[in-house]
Amino acid sequence: MAAVAATVLYERLKELGCPALDGVYLSEGKDIQKLLCTPSPHRLDIVEWICISVYPALREQFSSLKESQSDLKIEGMAKLGYDLMLCQADDLDLIKGKVCAQKQLHFLEQLLVVIPPQGNFTVSNSISDSSTFSSTEESFQEIAKKNEEFVKQVFSSSNLQAVLNPESHPWSSDIKALLLNEEVQQKRSLLSVTSHEETLLEALKELEEMVAALQELRTECPFLQGDLANADASCDNATALQTLKLIASDFNQLLVAFNQVYESELQKHCEHPAPVLSCCDPLFQAVHLSLLLCVQELQGLTQVTKTSECIVKTVKRQHGEKGVWSGSTRATLPSKLKELQQKYEAIHAALKDCQQS
């Protein structure tokens, strides 16, 4: 996939006349991907040309820098990407080509979308801005002149009235009768006026929402406020327009994607009737409560069983272990009890003998 995207991007750069690709002829997708996604001075020249085409004010800034100051160029290109909301301001690895190929190609494709369509964006020192402006103005004048001649030719044509009022009506007889019916025409005119008013109200509402969204965007985006220090107003306006163009393109793609997902996946679920609730809800609650009490009782029995096992183990350990009871000898509990029993019997026998004597 990355090789295919790189090939499409390469062809687009060729069409735009990127001077960094003059004399470069590649056909394999892997070679093109290596050229556009591998860190090199050649790739940096291509990215620099794209950034200058998007934001021509960078040309003077970059021309004043030396070849050893390439880091400043990279920071300037990253700043442009940040202003267009395409990357972070410190995302220098993206400009250098040290991230994954898919992310690099996506970034370059979005930059190409933002390039203004007017004029030829071949960045060269031999073509000045004044000559480009004059050639563009002349082309507009030629188009306006051709359009004016075409309109004159259409209105002066002898076939215009025949087209507007044909002898053979194109509609069938049943539809023609409806069209000639005055009542139908009046109803249609009323409906058209009503629908036109509704359309105007909807358009006015959408316009107000767009104005509110633009005001919110102006407060959130600092580069749209126009009061930045050491910034040219015209350059800021160009950057703002390019950013809005990119935002509108992304928003349109999101709407199209949501529409496709809704029609293919969500619409069939939205048309289902609401589920019917069961009347056995109290019974389920009572069963759940009984099961919960049973679980708690089983947990208590388990805890009692564990405690009993621990007590038995402790008693057995006390019977088996030797401890110091009196004196320095160590003896187990059963042996000590047996010794005490023997002493008790001896004392009891002695007392019995004393009583008999």
Side-chain angles (χ1 to χ4, degrees):
M1 294 297 292
V4 176
T7 303
V8 175
L9 183 64
Y10 175 78
E11 295 296 335
R12 178 59 178 161
L13 290 172
K14 281 286 191 180
E15 292 176 2
L16 293 175
C18 177
L21 295 178
D22 291 344
V24 178
Y25 302 99
L26 299 175
S27 59
E28 296 293 335
K30 294 182 179 179
D31 297 335
I32 297 175
Q33 180 181 349
K34 184 177 180 181
L35 172 66
L36 298 178
C37 302
T38 303
S40 65
H42 194 183
R43 178 193 175 277
L44 192 61
D45 292 340
I46 295 174
V47 179
E48 179 182 348
W49 177 85
I50 296 175
C51 293
I52 291 175
S53 300
V54 173
Y55 190 52
L58 290 176
R59 186 188 307 174
E60 297 181 1
Q61 179 181 349
F62 289 169
S63 62
S64 61
L65 299 176
K66 299 179 181 179
E67 295 182 357
S68 59
Q69 296 177 322
S70 58
D71 292 340
L72 296 179
K73 288 185 179 181
I74 293 174
E75 292 177 358
M77 289 184 280
K79 178 63 167 57
L80 176 63
Y82 174 74
D83 291 339
L84 297 176
M85 294 187 293
L86 299 180
C87 65
Q88 299 296 328
D90 57 349
D91 201 353
L92 303 182
D93 290 339
L94 177 62
I95 306 300
K96 295 178 181 179
K98 295 182 179 180
V99 297
C100 64
Q102 194 68 28
K103 186 175 181 180
Q104 294 184 52
L105 294 174
H106 182 66
F107 174 71
L108 296 178
E109 288 174 357
Q110 289 183 317
L111 280 179
L112 290 180
V113 170
V114 184
I115 293 179
Q118 69 273 12
N120 186 8
F121 276 86
T122 303
V123 181
S124 61
N125 295 328
S126 59
I127 301 177
S128 62
D129 294 337
S130 60
S131 62
T132 304
F133 177 77
S134 62
S135 62
T136 306
E137 186 177 2
E138 291 175 358
S139 63
F140 281 132
Q141 291 178 357
E142 291 178 359
I143 294 173
K145 186 176 180 181
K146 290 180 180 179
N147 291 338
E148 185 178 357
E149 292 177 356
F150 175 73
V151 172
K152 288 181 180 179
Q153 183 180 359
V154 170
F155 281 98
S156 62
S157 175
S158 59
N159 299 324
L160 179 61
Q161 294 300 326
V163 173
L164 296 177
N165 298 316
E167 295 179 359
S168 298
H169 206 280
W171 302 108
S172 58
S173 58
D174 54 347
I175 298 179
K176 186 176 180 180
L178 292 175
L179 293 175
L180 295 177
N181 192 346
E182 294 181 357
E183 294 181 359
V184 175
Q185 291 181 357
Q186 291 178 358
K187 291 181 180 179
R188 184 179 302 164
S189 62
L190 292 175
L191 291 175
S192 62
V193 171
T194 305
S195 61
H196 183 63
E197 292 179 354
E198 293 177 354
T199 304
L200 288 178
L201 291 176
E202 292 178 357
L204 180 60
K205 185 178 179 180
E206 292 179 358
L207 182 60
E208 292 177 352
E209 292 178 354
M210 291 178 64
V211 170
L214 288 175
Q215 292 294 337
E216 184 179 357
L217 181 63
R218 185 181 295 276
T219 57
E220 293 179 356
C221 301
F223 59 88
L224 296 177
Q225 295 179 1
D227 56 353
L228 299 175
N230 300 325
D232 190 5
S234 61
C235 296
D236 290 343
N237 292 333
T239 306
L241 292 176
Q242 293 164 4
T243 305
L244 290 176
K245 179 180 178 182
L246 181 62
I247 293 173
S249 177
D250 292 342
F251 182 68
N252 184 32
Q253 293 178 0
L254 290 175
L255 290 179
V256 172
F258 175 78
N259 189 22
Q260 293 177 355
V261 173
Y262 174 77
E263 292 179 354
S264 61
E265 300 293 338
L266 301 179
Q267 189 174 8
K268 58 183 180 181
H269 299 290
C270 296
E271 296 175 355
H272 288 177
V276 180
L277 298 178
S278 175
C279 58
C280 301
D281 183 52
L283 179 60
F284 291 147
Q285 291 182 354
V287 173
H288 179 265
L289 180 60
S290 300
L291 291 175
L292 184 61
L293 293 175
C294 181
V295 170
Q296 292 177 354
E297 185 175 356
L298 291 175
Q299 291 177 351
L301 292 175
T302 304
Q303 190 66 33
V304 170
T305 303
K306 291 182 179 179
T307 305
S308 301
E309 292 177 354
C310 291
I311 293 173
V312 171
K313 290 180 180 179
T314 303
V315 171
K316 289 182 178 180
R317 187 175 62 252
Q318 290 290 339
H319 281 213
E321 291 181 356
K322 292 183 179 181
V324 179
W325 300 96
S326 62
S328 59
T329 59
R330 298 175 62 87
T332 61
L333 181 60
S335 61
K336 191 65 178 176
L337 290 174
K338 188 176 181 179
E339 181 182 355
L340 291 175
Q341 186 178 3
Q342 292 175 357
K343 289 182 178 181
Y344 172 76
E345 291 177 353
I347 295 173
H348 182 69
L351 290 175
K352 190 174 181 180
D353 293 338
C354 291
Q355 291 177 359
Q356 290 178 359
S357 58

